Amino acid sequence: MAEPTQTAKVLSVTDLTPNVRQLIILPKPQKLSFQPGQWVSLKLPVGTKPPLNRAYSLATPESPSGELTLVFDRVAQGAGSGYLYRLRAGDELSLSGPYGNFVLPKPLDRELLFVTRYTGLVPVRCMVKALFAHREAPPVLAIAIGPAEDELLYHQELLSLAVMRASFRYLPLVASSEESAVGLTISMLRPLIEGRPKVLPMLCGTKAFVHPLRSWFTEAGYDRKEMKTETYD
Ligand SMILES: Cc1cc2nc3c(=O)[nH]c(=O)nc-3n(C[C@H](O)[C@H](O)[C@H](O)COP(=O)(O)OP(=O)(O)OC[C@H]3O[C@@H](n4cnc5c(N)ncnc54)[C@H](O)[C@@H]3O)c2cc1C
């Protein structure tokens, strides 16, 4: 059976950093119900065999208005992100979903450790927003690596949250390549993990970032079932 698709209207276009853009869209026929961390599949009218399907995580939890927030970086020669960069307010998109299991674990009985590179922060930002909308929130450490200082996503928002909420810790890092991001992350993780009670790692980014970190956690004694990962490629 074909997956049900629906149309969404672009309400606004905002640049969050020099190379990351946000679209607020409104699905027209019906509101989309989703869990923080999930993604939608866009059907884009580009490529050699349109539609080109591209997944984008939802950056903001479900809202009464039904608006959805998509945040993406400009991929060099990327057909999908290139098309999204050409969209303007009033344009329409076709999408299906929500999909995905990169969502908050239940029960939440350990400290959550989010480790993300660049737009890998998008689903995590959604989960953090949902968690800290409540007075009681579990301990969370978010390590977010950006490719440059001016490409750190949601930096002010996360800094402010860390000031306001004692159970939220935020560690922003800058590393130009995925390889250097992995090395830097591991050097930061070692003192935070070794000899301490187990945390719940949730890793998001491209495979070149996520897979070596997952292997590192395995070597540190974590079972695959004790971590969650989302890869973008
Ligand atoms: C579950 C899921 C959720 C996703 N959520 C997001 C999101 O919220 N925001 C977002 O920007 N992207 C997200 N992506 C990636 C997105 O679907 C596209 O792959 C990305 O925009 C590149 O598509 P493209 O057609 O422009 O380039 P392509 O030509 O398809 O990509 C070229 C190469 O770029 C690399 N790549 C993939 N994703 C990215 C990326 N985001 N930044 C840099 N390089 C990348 C890969 O190595 C890929 O092989 C998600 C992917 C998945 C599977």
Side-chain angles (χ1 to χ4, degrees):
M1 206 167 72
E3 49 181 354
T5 59
Q6 60 176 322
T7 307
K9 188 170 180 174
V10 177
L11 299 183
S12 69
V13 179
T14 312
D15 284 326
L16 300 186
T17 74
N19 287 301
V20 176
R21 183 162 279 190
Q22 167 186 282
L23 296 182
I24 307 274
I25 62 172
L26 184 64
K28 283 204 293 194
Q30 65 189 58
K31 211 180 133 192
L32 208 76
S33 197
F34 64 93
Q35 293 179 61
Q38 288 194 301
W39 49 276
V40 289
S41 174
L42 303 185
K43 284 90 189 48
L44 307 173
V46 284
T48 46
K49 269 204 264 156
L52 181 75
N53 291 309
R54 286 287 179 268
Y56 291 93
S57 308
L58 296 156
T60 306
E62 215 173 301
S63 73
S65 68
E67 291 174 11
L68 306 177
T69 308
L70 308 180
V71 171
F72 46 90
D73 60 298
R74 196 198 305 266
V75 174
Q77 276 97 48
S81 58
Y83 177 81
L84 293 179
Y85 254 88
R86 292 193 291 279
L87 289 175
R88 298 287 169 259
D91 289 345
E92 289 192 340
L93 275 168
S94 178
L95 61 84
S96 67
Y99 304 108
N101 298 317
F102 189 69
V103 295
L104 290 167
K106 285 185 191 146
L108 255 176
D109 49 8
R110 294 180 183 180
E111 176 172 10
L112 271 172
L113 171 62
F114 293 117
V115 187
T116 66
R117 181 174 183 273
Y118 209 17
T119 42
L121 183 60
V122 175
V124 166
R125 189 264 187 161
C126 193
M127 288 186 256
V128 166
K129 259 188 118 51
L131 282 172
F132 286 90
H134 302 285
R135 266 165 65 94
E136 297 297 323
V140 173
L141 169 59
I143 300 182
I145 298 112
E149 222 164 292
D150 60 356
E151 292 289 338
L152 283 170
L153 279 183
Y154 299 114
H155 184 54
Q156 283 308 325
E157 177 182 305
L158 296 175
L159 277 180
S160 304
L161 187 62
V163 170
M164 306 286 291
R165 304 292 296 266
S167 63
F168 181 71
R169 291 185 296 153
Y170 168 52
L171 182 55
L173 300 170
V174 173
S176 55
S177 68
E178 276 143 330
E179 201 186 7
S180 57
V182 170
L184 187 60
T185 308
I186 289 173
S187 65
M188 292 290 162
L189 281 175
R190 215 165 251 131
L192 292 167
I193 298 296
E194 285 174 357
R196 312 276 307 264
K198 274 191 170 172
V199 295
L200 214 156
M202 293 187 73
L203 319 172
C204 187
T206 52
K207 285 180 190 143
F209 177 69
V210 169
H211 286 180
L213 287 178
R214 189 176 59 189
S215 304
W216 184 83
F217 275 103
T218 310
E219 279 163 30
Y222 282 76
D223 190 86
R224 284 264 180 120
K225 290 194 211 86
E226 293 178 295
M227 323 175 215
K228 285 198 170 208
T229 60
E230 184 91 289
T231 50
Y232 276 6
D233 52 347

